[in-house]
Amino acid sequence: MPFIEVKNLSFSYGDDLILDSINENFEKGLCHIVTSRAGEGKTTLLKLIAGLKLPTSGQILVDGKSISLFSKKQMLDFHRKTGFLFQDAALINNMNILDNLALYYRYNTNLKEVQILETILNYLDYFDLRYALYLRPEQLSHGLQMIISFIRAILDEPELIILDEPVETLDQVLVQKMIEEIKKLKNKGCTTIISTHRVHLFEKICDKVMIIKEKKVIFSGTIRNLKLEKNEEIKEMLET
Amino acid sequence: MNLKKTIQNTNDKIKLFSKFIGGVCGLIVYSLPAYFSEKRNRGTINKNFLAQVYFTGNLALRLISIVALALGAVTVIQVFTQLSKIGGQEFIGEVLKIVIIRELGPLFTAFIVISRSSTAIASEIGNMVVTNQVDALEMMGIDPLTFIIFPRIIGVTLALVVLTICFNAIALIGGFLVSLLTIGLSFDIFFNYIMNTITFADIFSSLLKSLLFGLFISSIPIYNGFQVKSSTTIPAVTTKTVMECIIFTIIFDIIITIFIYV
């Protein structure tokens, strides 16, 4: 049984159809890439998988149970085991970086402040961001905010991480460091879903690729199959 | 055709209004049990609550003091000049009690809090919604009901009750200072005028008003903040919040006054 099963999923904002009859399986421990042109519904799909939006029709099953039928407690538990990196970083404005990163631990665990700080500093050191500890999110560039948000998403080694356009504003060094971290989590059995326009960057860690065009899935398969794909529409999209 | 359209429009407006009332009351009703069922994280929530009390209460105290002092002073000047014509100076305490403690104290304090805190809450939450900060909290397993909503509702309400007491006290001091300077009324006599006229119902009505005003002028901006769909609508939502808070405050003021005094 797949970890996450998307069945006949459609979503619309009012009369505006965004996703139409999407079917896809996300297997445990694999890295999945979702790609499309801008504004084709990638973010909406990720939010639906995370349970932040409810489908207009169809189902999303997590370990065989419909996410729409989750109780409030089940949803909170699912969210605690899921890390989400938002496209706009979504750090809490009125908190410094330390508080932003410590919030998850303070709220969900009984760890002591010293232990929390140590874990956070390990990650910040890895990304050379120790100086940002007491800065506010708006004092950092968007790229660095994305790194902080990435750290927040992976801090507690979640079962599922969902990354919405994580590398679009990062330099090559940070991209490599981020990919290394994703690889480490993947080796521990973490399922990863990444939405991106830069598929080639994730070639080494990616197991499956899904392409959305005009509200529908037009390709779903391994990166190897994708390279062999003869469909002009898909080839053109990857080239652009 | 026109009639059908009118009926449809009225129907839509009633639905929207019911949703608004249900939403606002729901925030008040559900946030309290959510807080009490959240045993482990009260420290973090209490920190947010204290920050709200500080912002709404402490930072508004100077403005409240100036307005209250001025209101107390002008009320005494106006009332004294009129009452002295008919030799009714001893009613000054009665008038001050009616004007300040029963009516204008809670009302003016609520208006000041609306202008500072309700607008700030509506735009802050609207901004949090459009920049996915609320979603980010949910993804960390943090319930917005306890982390965002409860501290703001209770923080604003508590601050408003305390500010109203301060407003009333400072306005009476303003009234006394003017009485002292104009007619040389001693503190004892002034104090007696006031204490002889104040009843339990006056204090109860003042506190009840500020309590209800507080609950609604905190939950209306929260509700409106969560309705924001894009950053461009935040100013409009903030303006709408001020209008709705003022209307609700006045309606509650009338209802409570009728309920207690008529």
Side-chain angles (χ1 to χ4, degrees), chain A residues 10-25:
Chain A
S10 296
F11 183 82
S12 40
Y13 285 110
D15 295 333
D16 194 8
L17 186 67
I18 308 293
L19 295 167
D20 186 14
S21 307
I22 306 282
N23 286 292
E24 184 67 30
N25 290 338

Side-chain angles (χ1 to χ4, degrees), chain B:
Chain B
M1 191 64 191
N2 259 347
L3 181 68
K4 205 177 168 186
K5 211 175 169 182
T6 313
I7 292 170
Q8 184 61 43
N9 280 345
T10 315
N11 194 19
D12 289 347
K13 278 181 185 165
I14 291 170
K15 271 186 192 169
L16 212 64
F17 183 70
S18 311
K19 193 183 157 205
F20 169 75
I21 296 290
V24 169
C25 294
L27 289 175
I28 301 168
V29 171
Y30 289 113
S31 64
L32 288 168
Y35 171 76
F36 289 108
S37 65
E38 187 78 67
K39 290 188 178 76
R40 206 168 57 183
N41 307 305
R42 291 219 185 127
T44 320
I45 301 164
N46 291 346
K47 216 171 130 185
N48 288 356
F49 158 73
L50 289 175
Q52 188 63 54
V53 172
Y54 176 77
F55 175 75
T56 305
N58 198 27
L59 296 182
L61 198 57
R62 199 164 55 177
L63 180 61
I64 292 275
S65 306
I66 295 166
V67 176
L69 214 56
L71 183 74
V74 294
T75 307
V76 166
I77 294 168
Q78 290 288 358
V79 169
F80 183 74
T81 49
Q82 298 306 315
L83 287 180
S84 59
K85 288 178 192 166
I86 52 165
Q89 293 94 319
E90 67 271 22
F91 292 113
I92 207 161
E94 182 77 23
V95 175
L96 269 179
K97 178 196 82 172
I98 292 170
V99 173
I100 289 165
I101 295 173
R102 279 189 192 176
E103 288 303 326
L104 296 185
L107 215 53
F108 267 53
T109 314
F111 288 162
I112 290 169
V113 171
I114 290 168
S115 70
R116 288 187 78 257
S117 300
S118 301
T119 50
I121 291 172
S123 57
E124 183 196 16
I125 290 180
N127 188 45
M128 285 182 86
V129 169
V130 294
T131 55
N132 288 316
Q133 290 177 55
V134 176
D135 284 345
L137 287 172
E138 281 192 49
M139 286 313 299
M140 284 187 272
I142 297 171
D143 185 0
L145 209 53
T146 53
F147 191 79
I148 302 177
I149 298 167
F150 174 83
R152 281 164 181 77
I153 291 181
I154 301 303
V156 169
T157 306
L158 180 71
L160 187 65
V161 171
V162 176
L163 283 175
T164 305
I165 295 168
C166 294
F167 187 100
N168 290 343
I170 296 167
L172 293 179
I173 292 170
F176 163 69
L177 290 176
V178 169
S179 310
L180 180 73
L181 294 172
T182 51
I183 52 168
L185 202 66
S186 73
F187 181 75
D188 289 347
I189 296 170
F190 183 83
F191 190 72
N192 278 338
Y193 276 165
I194 299 290
M195 291 317 286
N196 288 340
T197 54
I198 284 184
T199 61
F200 173 75
D202 297 322
I203 294 164
F204 176 73
S205 98
S206 189
L207 292 180
L208 181 65
K209 278 180 184 178
S210 56
L211 182 77
L212 278 176
F213 294 169
L215 288 174
F216 280 87
I217 65 179
S218 55
S219 50
I220 289 171
I222 294 171
Y223 177 83
N224 286 338
F226 275 103
Q227 308 307 310
V228 170
K229 298 278 183 268
S230 75
S231 55
T232 50
T233 57
I234 293 174
V237 164
T238 310
T239 312
K240 185 171 163 256
T241 297
V242 173
M243 298 291 290
E244 287 168 355
C245 285
I246 290 175
I247 291 168
F248 267 79
T249 303
I250 291 169
I251 290 172
F252 277 121
D253 187 51
I254 294 168
I255 292 172
I256 295 167
T257 304
I258 291 172
F259 179 69
I260 293 178
Y261 296 106
V262 177

Side-chain angles (χ1 to χ4, degrees), chain A residues 6-11 18-24 26 45 58-59 210 212 215-217:
Chain A
V6 176
K7 272 179 156 179
N8 264 330
L9 177 84
S10 296
F11 183 82
I18 308 293
L19 295 167
D20 186 14
S21 307
I22 306 282
N23 286 292
E24 184 67 30
F26 296 92
L45 178 64
Q59 277 187 315
M210 170 189 177
I212 301 172
K215 307 166 181 67
K216 288 183 181 289
V217 177

Side-chain angles (χ1 to χ4, degrees), chain A residues 77-140:
Chain A
D77 285 340
F78 171 58
H79 285 162
R80 281 185 192 119
K81 293 179 204 156
T82 307
F84 199 118
L85 165 62
F86 291 86
Q87 208 179 100
D88 48 9
L91 296 170
I92 310 302
N93 270 343
N94 56 6
M95 290 182 180
N96 64 24
I97 300 304
L98 171 63
D99 289 338
N100 260 289
L101 293 176
L103 190 58
Y104 173 86
Y105 280 132
R106 286 176 186 155
Y107 218 85
N108 297 309
T109 68
N110 293 321
L111 284 181
K112 288 182 178 155
E113 281 296 310
V114 184
Q115 292 169 290
I116 295 173
L117 185 66
E118 196 184 339
T119 315
I120 289 169
L121 285 176
N122 281 341
Y123 277 107
L124 288 178
D125 286 341
Y126 177 72
F127 286 102
D128 294 324
L129 279 171
R130 183 184 270 251
Y131 69 90
L133 194 63
Y134 295 105
L135 296 181
R136 295 246 167 191
E138 71 268 16
Q139 291 174 281
L140 297 175

